[in-house]
């Protein structure tokens, strides 16, 4: 059988022809071809000679910046600029500038880098740029790029092996630079360059609404050496090392410090002879030694020293602070509490007793400096507008951006950066909201929804009934319900409650109330934000201040509410696919159309905490009238001064919080914070709107530096009045309006 198998295999073996001449023959017997083969004479064309020279990298920088950064939104490292300068000087010669040879080469390199999927930053130390230049060099002739008949990249061709090798290198770079590629955010929002609005889902604004919980945000830290944000790769934990607590305050200080140095008031004049406003200069605390009696401006963190006195600390040291003669700036316009970063202008007074006159004391970051700093004025660091931080050249309502400075390439929320998808998302929002749904970008915000109070359900029914009968294109895009959802800590047995069983019954009552409004359930997205009395943290805190950020309400208590939304969606035949009940964290962020609109929601009784912790300043001294002054005569008592306008408190609260760029500018003993998740409390860049849900304060809406700060107040008004209060917030206009109705 083995011999038969071998013989059978030989029968099917293909025969090899001995005649391998592909040219047909007119005489097969003699094998003469139809036409004689003529070999063309080899002529060698003289290749234009280029005299190479050493091109300095700074000389090429303006052209490279114009081509890579302005035109292609790419950033060149110093190594990449040096590699391009060496290549152009070697292959383009002396005509690199006059004949425009360098600009053409840079254009081809930039297009090749983008087409192969390179990152935002062009690195010259890797193999990707070296591979592009190596394959481009054979195509150079006389300083110009010779156009080939076919090209794998833009205008010059790669071999199959070279292309595969270059793609592999760029793929490895993309994997190693996940943070840079993630900043584009295109895959997260499912945006394509050729995407239109023909799809049914793209016309619905609910598709572009994204709820970002506090534990889902990217953990970024500002690197003061590299002047940009870096992603923290370490896994967060609830029990970090003690050094993470120091990094928490260090990050807050460096963030405000870099923001302050970019302010116009802290920029020195380039022309000393020109009359310009005085520029301020921040003095490190360690530099006060030996400069007694001199005036300085300090930027530091207000703290309470171990001896109980007020002190100010920065990254270099700490010093006692004397504010007996200080005045706040503006007067009665902001609160200053320990835990805030402030600017103090005053005089340093050194101790001459020899005790503590040098660094190395027991307090402060770098040590306690002897003496004291007598402050004359105290103010908060100036706030920075969102457009300035992100480097957009116009307001957020415009569809165009510029390539000015800022952190436009940084993806702060994991949804895409401003420079990557901002212009396209602005065009998309203008098309969707202005044509299909002009009145759709409205949020309803209700706070302090105490489900254990019967009047709360009546007030909620009255509010929702006003929007139930509206057409779907005019119904609110989202309805935000903010806790605490019980008036006392039921989980801790407060008020003689029944614990978790009673708490779940309250949510079952809410499910019955929401089931009466199927149209809103189908066409709107309901978002639930917990408060201090909600589980599980309230089980041991009894409604007190617990560590923030807070987790969402557990699914154990919200099963019936979710069932109501599922049934409404099934009855609508899947028409409400974009609407759902979202239980998120406290604080949380809402993003509409990517980085175009960002809304921060935070539930906290902040006004009461600020009033309890604020530093009191001496009242301003009134000048004593002289005996000859006619105004010193006895006159009839003047009427009492008018009361403060109702906008004083909201403006004071708004300035106190936004100037700090933080939701909790308090000591950790006053308001505990999870150290590894403190980044979600940052307000940098400034959001489009901030909802500070404070149930102890009346509703208000104030705009400061382009950020609209809204407090919807408690749903139930004063005792004895059946008045329901809520807030209508227009997301695209950035304006909130308080509403109330009698029920």
């Amino acid at each position: 059988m083995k011999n038969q198998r071998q013989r059978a295999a030989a029968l099917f073996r293909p025969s090899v022809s001995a005649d391998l001449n592909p040219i047909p023959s007119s005489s097969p017997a003699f094998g003469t071809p139809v036409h004689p083969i003529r070999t063309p004479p080899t002529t060698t064309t003289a290749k234009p000679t280029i005299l190479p020279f050493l091109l300095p990298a700074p000389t090429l920088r303006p052209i490279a910046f114009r081509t890579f950064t302005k035109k292609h939104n790419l950033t060149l490292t110093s190594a990449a600029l040096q590699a391009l300068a060496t290549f152009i000087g070697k292959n383009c010669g002396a005509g690199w500038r006059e004949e425009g040879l360098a600009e053409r080469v840079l254009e081809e390199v930039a297009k090749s880098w983008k087409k192969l999927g390179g990152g935002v930053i062009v690195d010259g130390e890797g193999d990707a740029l070296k591979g592009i230049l190596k394959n481009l060099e054979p195509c150079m002739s006389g300083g110009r790029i010779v156009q080939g008949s076919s090209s794998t990249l833009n205008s010059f061709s790669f071999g199959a092996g070279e292309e595969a090798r270059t793609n592999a290198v760029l793929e490895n770079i993309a994997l190693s630079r996940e943070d840079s590629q993630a900043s584009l955010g295109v895959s997260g929002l499912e945006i394509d360059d050729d995407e239109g609005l023909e799809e049914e889902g793209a016309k619905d604004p609910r598709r572009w609404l994204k709820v970002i919980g506090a534990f889902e945000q990217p953990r970024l830290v500002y690197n003061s050496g590299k002047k940009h944000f870096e992603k923290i790769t370490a896994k967060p934990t609830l029990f970090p090392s003690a050094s993470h607590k120091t990094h928490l305050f260090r990050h807050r200080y460096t963030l405000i410090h870099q923001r302050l140095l970019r302010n116009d008031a802290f920029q020195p004049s380039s022309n000393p002879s020109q009359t310009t406003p005085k520029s301020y200069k921040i003095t490190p605390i360690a530099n006060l030694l030996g400069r007694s009696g001199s005036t300085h401006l300090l930027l530091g963190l207000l703290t309470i020293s171990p001896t109980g006195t007020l002190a100010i600390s920065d990254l270099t040291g700490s010093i006692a602070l004397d504010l007996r003669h200080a005045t706040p700036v503006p007067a009665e316009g902001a609160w200053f509490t320990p835990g805030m970063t402030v600017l103090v202008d005053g005089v340093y007074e050194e101790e001459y007793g020899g005790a503590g006159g040098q660094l190395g004391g027991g307090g402060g970051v770098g040590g306690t400096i002897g003496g004291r700093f007598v402050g004359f004025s105290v103010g908060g660091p100036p706030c920075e507008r969102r457009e300035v931080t992100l480097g957009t050249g116009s307001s957020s309502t415009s569809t165009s951006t510029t390539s000015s400075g800022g952190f436009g390439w940084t993806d702060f929320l994991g949804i895409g950066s401003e420079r990557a998808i901002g212009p396209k998302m602005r065009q998309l929002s203008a098309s969707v909201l202005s044509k299909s749904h002009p009145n759709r970008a409205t949020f309803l915000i209700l706070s302090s929804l105490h489900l254990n109070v019967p009047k709360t359900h009546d007030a909620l029914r009255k509010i929702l009934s006003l929007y139930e009968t509206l057409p779907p294109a005019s119904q609110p895009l989202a309805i935000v319900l903010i806790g605490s959802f019980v008036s006392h800590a039921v989980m801790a047995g407060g008020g003689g409650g029944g614990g978790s069983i009673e708490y779940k019954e309250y949510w079952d009552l809410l499910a019955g109330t929401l089931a009466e409004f199927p149209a809103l359930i189908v066409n709107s997205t309901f978002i639930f934000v917990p408060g201090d009395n909600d589980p599980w943290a309230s089980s041991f805190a009894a409604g007190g201040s617990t560590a923030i950020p807070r987790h969402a309400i557990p699914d154990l208590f919200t099963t019936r509410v979710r069932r109501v939304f599922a049934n409404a969606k099934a009855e609508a035949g899947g028409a409400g696919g974009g609407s759902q009940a979202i239980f998120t964290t406290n604080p949380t962020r809402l993003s509409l159309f990517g980085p175009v609109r960002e809304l921060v929601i935070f539930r906290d009784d902040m006004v009461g905490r600020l009033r309890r912790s604020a530093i009191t300043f001496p009242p301003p001294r009134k000048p004593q009238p002289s005996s000859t002054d006619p105004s010193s005569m006895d006159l009839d008592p003047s009427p009492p001064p008018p009361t403060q306008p109702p906008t004083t408190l909201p403006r004071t609260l708004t300035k106190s919080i936004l100037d700090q760029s933080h939701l909790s500018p308090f000591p950790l003993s006053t308001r505990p914070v999870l150290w590894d998740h403190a980044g979600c409390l940052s307000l940098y860049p400034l959001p489009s709107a901030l909802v500070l849900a404070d149930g102890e304060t009346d509703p208000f809406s104030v705009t400061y530096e382009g950020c609209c700060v809204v407090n919807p107040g408690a749903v139930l008004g004063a005792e004895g009045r059946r008045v329901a209060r809520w807030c209508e917030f227009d997301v695209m206009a950035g304006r909130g309006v308080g509403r109330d109705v009698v029920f």
Side-chain angles (χ1 to χ4, degrees):
M1 293 296 294
K2 182 177 180 180
N3 296 334
Q4 292 179 1
R5 188 177 295 111
Q6 291 179 353
R7 289 195 299 270
L11 294 176
F12 297 99
R13 187 176 301 168
S15 61
V16 180
S17 175
D19 188 9
L20 300 177
N21 189 3
I23 303 177
S25 174
S26 59
S27 178
F30 298 95
T32 58
V34 180
H35 302 285
I37 302 176
R38 297 179 180 179
T39 59
T42 59
T43 59
T44 59
T45 58
K47 186 177 181 180
T49 59
I50 292 296
L51 182 62
F53 73 105
L54 185 60
L55 177 62
T59 307
L60 185 65
R61 187 184 302 275
I63 301 178
F65 177 79
R66 184 169 62 250
T67 303
F68 276 81
T69 304
K70 289 282 188 179
K71 189 173 182 179
H72 294 280
N73 292 330
L74 297 175
T75 303
L76 281 174
T77 62
S78 58
L81 182 62
Q82 183 62 46
L84 292 173
T86 304
F87 180 85
I88 292 175
K90 177 182 178 182
N91 296 278
C92 295
W96 68 276
R97 186 197 297 270
E98 290 78 5
E99 301 178 13
L101 304 178
E103 191 169 356
R104 298 174 186 173
V105 172
L106 295 176
E107 180 74 17
E108 293 293 341
V109 174
K111 289 181 180 179
S112 304
W113 180 272
K114 294 181 65 175
K115 192 168 184 178
L116 288 177
V120 176
I121 299 178
V122 181
D123 189 9
E125 298 179 355
D127 296 334
L129 182 61
K130 295 179 181 178
I132 293 176
L133 296 179
K134 181 179 179 181
N135 290 278
L136 176 61
E137 189 171 5
C139 302
M140 299 294 299
S141 177
R144 292 176 172 82
I145 302 175
V146 179
Q147 300 289 339
S149 58
S150 61
S151 59
T152 305
L153 290 180
N154 295 310
S155 62
F156 53 91
S157 60
F158 288 85
E162 294 291 339
E163 179 187 0
R165 182 167 56 87
T166 306
N167 289 335
V169 171
L170 290 175
E171 184 178 358
N172 294 334
I173 292 178
L175 293 176
S176 63
R177 294 185 52 84
E178 184 180 358
D179 54 343
S180 175
Q181 296 292 347
S183 66
L184 298 177
V186 177
S187 60
L189 289 175
E190 300 179 359
I191 304 173
D192 193 6
D193 293 338
D194 300 328
E195 182 182 8
L197 294 178
E198 288 77 10
E199 300 181 6
E200 186 66 24
K203 299 180 181 179
D204 192 352
R206 293 173 295 179
R207 173 180 175 181
W208 311 107
L209 175 64
K210 184 174 179 61
V211 181
I212 306 167
F215 302 96
E216 301 172 1
Q217 299 179 28
R219 299 170 59 229
L220 304 176
V221 62
Y222 180 76
N223 190 327
S224 57
K226 298 181 179 179
K227 307 296 182 183
H228 68 85
F229 287 87
E230 295 180 346
K231 189 174 182 180
I232 303 176
T233 58
K235 186 177 181 181
T237 175
L238 295 179
F239 302 100
S241 60
S243 61
H244 290 211
K245 179 181 178 181
T246 306
H247 294 162
L248 186 154
F249 293 100
R250 183 187 296 270
H251 174 62
R252 283 179 52 189
Y253 178 84
T254 55
L255 205 60
I256 293 179
H257 185 262
Q258 65 85 23
R259 185 190 79 189
L260 204 61
L261 294 182
R262 294 193 290 116
N263 192 285
D264 294 337
F266 292 84
Q267 296 292 332
S269 176
S270 58
N271 188 5
S273 61
Q274 186 179 2
T275 304
T276 56
K278 178 184 177 182
S279 62
Y280 299 95
K281 183 179 180 181
I282 300 175
T283 303
I285 293 179
N287 293 0
L288 296 178
L289 288 174
R291 305 171 69 179
S292 179
S294 56
T295 304
H296 302 277
L297 180 64
L298 303 183
L299 175 68
L301 183 73
L302 287 179
T303 59
I304 302 297
S305 64
T307 59
T309 59
L310 190 64
I312 183 171
S313 304
D314 65 2
L315 300 182
T316 63
S318 178
I319 189 174
L321 195 60
D322 185 2
L323 299 180
R324 290 178 296 178
H325 307 284
T327 57
V329 179
E332 300 181 357
W335 284 301
F336 301 101
T337 66
M340 287 187 176
T341 304
V342 297
L343 286 167
V344 183
D345 186 17
V347 176
Y348 171 58
E349 294 183 356
E350 189 174 3
E351 289 183 353
Y352 295 99
Q358 57 183 357
L359 288 176
V365 179
T368 302
I369 295 179
R372 61 175 182 171
F373 190 81
V374 181
F376 298 149
S377 60
V378 180
C383 190
E384 187 177 75
R385 297 181 68 90
R386 180 179 179 87
E387 295 82 9
V388 178
T389 305
L390 298 179
T392 57
S394 58
S395 62
S396 57
T397 58
S398 175
T399 58
S400 63
T401 58
T402 65
S403 57
S404 57
F407 302 102
W409 282 114
T410 304
D411 185 7
F412 291 95
L413 300 181
I415 57 175
S417 63
E418 171 63 35
R419 293 282 298 277
I421 65 174
K424 181 172 180 60
M425 296 306 295
R426 283 181 173 82
Q427 297 176 1
L428 187 63
S429 64
S431 178
V432 170
L433 296 178
S434 62
K435 297 180 181 179
S436 304
H437 309 278
N439 301 323
R440 190 75 162 114
T442 303
F443 287 180
L444 300 187
I445 305 175
L446 294 78
S447 179
S448 299
L449 204 68
H450 298 159
L451 302 179
N452 60 327
V453 180
K455 282 198 223 178
T456 302
H457 296 272
D458 298 336
L460 183 60
R461 287 191 184 93
K462 182 63 178 180
I463 295 174
L464 297 182
S465 63
L466 300 177
Y467 302 92
E468 174 71 13
T469 56
L470 295 178
S474 299
Q475 288 183 341
L477 181 63
I479 300 177
V480 183
L481 305 180
I482 306 175
S484 297
F485 291 99
V486 285
S487 58
H488 53 269
V490 176
M491 301 297 298
S500 59
I501 297 178
E502 180 182 355
Y503 186 79
K504 188 178 186 308
E505 291 177 354
Y506 293 144
W507 279 96
D508 294 345
L509 292 177
L510 177 62
T513 303
L514 296 178
E516 301 175 8
F517 306 96
L520 285 178
I521 292 179
V522 171
N523 298 311
S524 300
T525 300
F526 283 72
I527 302 171
F528 299 87
V529 181
D532 288 335
N533 292 333
D534 296 314
W536 292 105
S538 63
S539 302
F540 56 87
S545 297
T546 57
I548 51 177
R550 290 280 310 274
H551 283 277
I553 297 177
D555 298 342
L556 171 66
F557 306 102
T558 60
T559 53
R560 186 163 297 183
V561 174
R562 298 176 186 271
R563 192 182 309 161
V564 168
F565 280 81
N567 295 338
K569 180 180 177 180
E571 293 177 0
S579 296
Q580 54 183 332
I582 301 177
F583 295 86
T584 183
T585 60
N586 181 30
T588 189
R589 297 175 189 256
L590 308 183
S591 171
L592 185 62
F593 295 101
V596 176
R597 292 293 176 182
E598 177 186 350
L599 180 67
V600 179
I601 302 175
F602 184 44
R603 172 66 180 94
D604 186 35
D605 296 331
M606 191 173 296
V607 174
R609 187 177 293 106
L610 284 171
R611 283 175 167 172
R612 293 190 300 267
S613 307
I615 300 172
T616 57
F617 294 91
R621 297 181 180 179
K622 297 181 179 180
Q624 296 294 335
S626 61
S627 59
T628 60
D629 190 358
S631 61
S632 61
M633 298 174 59
D634 294 336
L635 300 176
D636 295 334
S638 59
T643 59
Q644 294 182 349
T647 57
T648 301
L649 177 62
R651 293 186 181 277
T652 303
L653 172 64
T654 299
K655 181 174 176 56
S656 303
I657 298 302
L658 295 188
D659 284 352
Q660 297 297 317
S661 298
H662 204 267
L663 288 173
S664 181
F666 304 102
L668 298 182
S669 58
T670 304
R671 184 57 160 165
V673 175
L674 299 179
W675 300 348
D676 280 3
H677 296 282
C680 67
L681 304 176
S682 176
L683 295 178
Y684 190 82
L686 205 64
S688 305
L690 171 63
V691 178
L692 287 177
D694 191 340
E696 300 177 355
T697 309
D698 294 333
F700 64 83
S701 178
V702 177
T703 301
Y704 177 65
E705 294 293 343
C707 177
C708 182
V709 181
V710 177
N711 176 28
V715 173
L716 298 179
E719 292 291 339
R721 296 184 57 191
R722 297 182 64 87
V723 178
R725 303 184 301 184
W726 75 101
C727 175
E728 280 187 1
F729 184 76
D730 190 344
V731 183
M732 302 309 297
R735 182 177 61 254
V737 179
R739 303 291 187 186
D740 59 76
V741 64
V742 180
F743 62 94

